[in-house]
Amino acid sequence: MALQVDEPAGEGDAEPFEGAAFRELVESVKQGRCILFLGAGVHYPPPPKSRFSYPEGQRPPLAGALAERLARKCDFAKICEGESERNLQRVSLCYERELTRKRLVEEIKLAVDDESKPSAAVRALAELPFPLVMTTNYDTLFERALQREGLDKRPQVGIYNPKRFEPTRDYSGAGDPTAERPFIFKMHGDVTALESLVVTDEDYITFILRMNDVEGLMHPVPQTFLYRLNKVPTLFVGYGLLDFNLRLLFRTMRWKLDPAARPESYAVDKSPDPLVSEEWQHDQGLRFIVEDVWNFVPRLYRQVLDREMPS
């Protein structure tokens, strides 16, 4: 939820992501050797004439819409005269100061979780064999998709802890995480944990400081993820590469790794920025899937599970 843009990117002109690179991604997912990294763009509506639907009343609001909703309830326009009411970090800070942190989290939970349902795309991704899932979304839609009737996976959820001197909880299951018992890490917090949300300016400052801690028990990301991110491919779904926070996260977690040893990573982005994408392809080994989420996810689902993705 936190790392989102206000609108989906424009239509891309590239052909669907196919060939050897796509086959490698499919095999990595089939073998449970791929990390899924979910952003708020996974909740975008399908394009016109799609066989899928995701009504507005079931979708979590995007950042700008959520900010405007919060702004109306905390007199943001009067307190911060002249500032944009679509700046979620600033509006959230104002709301917290005027109406308490508890009220802020309750309002965000109501907007992004209580009033929302998992889309067909989120349900499809939940069916795929991802043993490790990292997300900056605050909502519990992916977890609910995992535990729905007929699928009944049993995820273990880890949540970002902003307290610097408390050890980060890692996976506690027997053996490694599996597709049936995946490990999900809520990197920007969860609506069920009051202090965990990274939403205000001050939250982001604390988060960046935590990410600079020496890697060990106190690093905010569980060791299971820190280790695997440097060993197996990562698939980013729901992010735009112009998102500064995403680039900061990715570089921080792979900072000390030799570029030649970095595993392939894939980002679904309909319109990647030409300047940033060129640097990331060469420097970070990131392949761009220039395609809409609602086109890519059904193709991946079909190749991995050998059946069509349900509507």
Side-chain angles (χ1 to χ4, degrees), residues 202-215:
E202 295 301 315
D203 294 333
Y204 274 92
I205 291 171
T206 300
F207 178 78
I208 292 170
L209 290 173
R210 287 289 329 261
M211 290 294 289
N212 285 325
D213 278 352
V214 177
E215 292 189 12

Side-chain angles (χ1 to χ4, degrees), residues 8-299:
E11 293 289 344
D13 297 324
E15 293 296 319
F17 186 72
E18 297 284 5
F22 182 64
R23 290 195 298 270
E24 289 176 1
L25 172 59
V26 168
E27 285 305 311
S28 294
V29 175
K30 282 184 176 180
Q31 296 169 15
R33 296 189 65 259
C34 185
I35 298 171
L36 178 61
F37 209 133
L38 283 179
V42 76
H43 301 317
Y44 284 147
K49 298 182 180 180
S50 171
R51 70 180 178 92
F52 302 102
S53 66
Y54 194 24
E56 183 177 359
Q58 297 180 9
R59 303 195 303 263
L62 301 179
L66 176 59
E68 289 178 337
R69 174 172 172 159
L70 296 173
R72 290 193 295 268
K73 300 186 178 184
C74 69
D75 293 328
F76 180 80
K78 294 180 181 178
I79 297 170
C80 300
E81 186 176 355
E83 291 193 36
S84 172
E85 294 185 3
R86 295 180 66 82
N87 185 329
L88 182 58
Q89 294 179 28
R90 288 285 290 163
V91 172
S92 296
L93 183 60
C94 177
Y95 193 106
E96 180 182 82
R97 294 294 180 265
E98 293 298 303
L99 297 169
T100 75
R101 177 76 176 196
K102 183 175 183 294
R103 292 276 300 276
L104 171 65
V105 176
E106 288 174 347
E107 186 65 32
I108 292 175
K109 183 178 186 298
L110 179 65
V112 307
D113 204 59
D114 294 353
E115 298 176 352
S116 304
K117 296 181 179 180
S119 68
V122 168
R123 294 196 303 270
L125 289 169
E127 285 190 53
L128 298 181
F130 291 106
L132 293 172
V133 180
M134 187 176 285
T135 181
T136 50
N137 296 344
Y138 309 139
D139 60 72
T140 65
L141 297 181
F142 188 77
E143 296 94 293
R144 283 152 55 185
L146 285 170
Q147 298 174 86
R148 70 184 188 272
E149 186 177 357
L151 190 58
D152 196 30
K153 295 189 179 183
R154 295 173 295 120
Q156 178 177 320
V157 180
I159 301 174
Y160 163 73
N161 182 358
K163 297 177 181 178
R164 183 176 180 183
F165 298 107
E166 290 189 8
T168 299
R169 293 183 179 180
D170 209 333
Y171 184 71
S172 61
D176 294 328
T178 65
E180 291 70 34
R181 186 169 170 74
F183 186 23
I184 302 172
F185 180 60
K186 312 295 284 288
M187 177 170 273
H188 276 177
D190 185 286
V191 289
T192 64
L194 182 68
E195 295 299 326
S196 69
L197 263 60
V198 180
V199 60
T200 70
D201 282 339
E202 295 301 315
D203 294 333
Y204 274 92
I205 291 171
T206 300
F207 178 78
I208 292 170
L209 290 173
R210 287 289 329 261
M211 290 294 289
N212 285 325
D213 278 352
V214 177
E215 292 189 12
L217 292 178
M218 300 299 175
H219 194 279
V221 178
Q223 284 295 309
T224 295
F225 280 94
L226 291 176
Y227 176 78
R228 297 292 182 84
L229 282 165
N230 292 323
K231 298 294 183 182
V232 301
T234 301
L235 173 62
F236 292 90
V237 181
Y239 292 103
L241 198 61
L242 281 178
D243 192 318
F244 175 81
N245 290 304
L246 172 63
R247 304 206 311 270
L248 174 66
L249 287 175
F250 198 58
R251 283 188 179 273
T252 300
M253 289 185 291
R254 291 160 56 120
W255 183 251
K256 296 181 180 180
L257 190 67
D258 186 330
R262 290 171 180 158
E264 290 281 5
S265 295
Y266 306 85
V268 180
D269 190 341
K270 281 177 60 177
S271 186
D273 179 80
L275 298 179
V276 177
S277 63
E278 182 176 352
E279 178 177 350
W280 276 65
Q281 287 182 94
H282 292 295
D283 186 48
Q284 296 294 323
L286 186 66
R287 291 179 179 268
F288 288 91
I289 302 170
V290 186
E291 196 169 0
D292 185 279
V293 167
W294 288 95
N295 292 325
F296 173 75
V297 173
R299 289 200 304 114

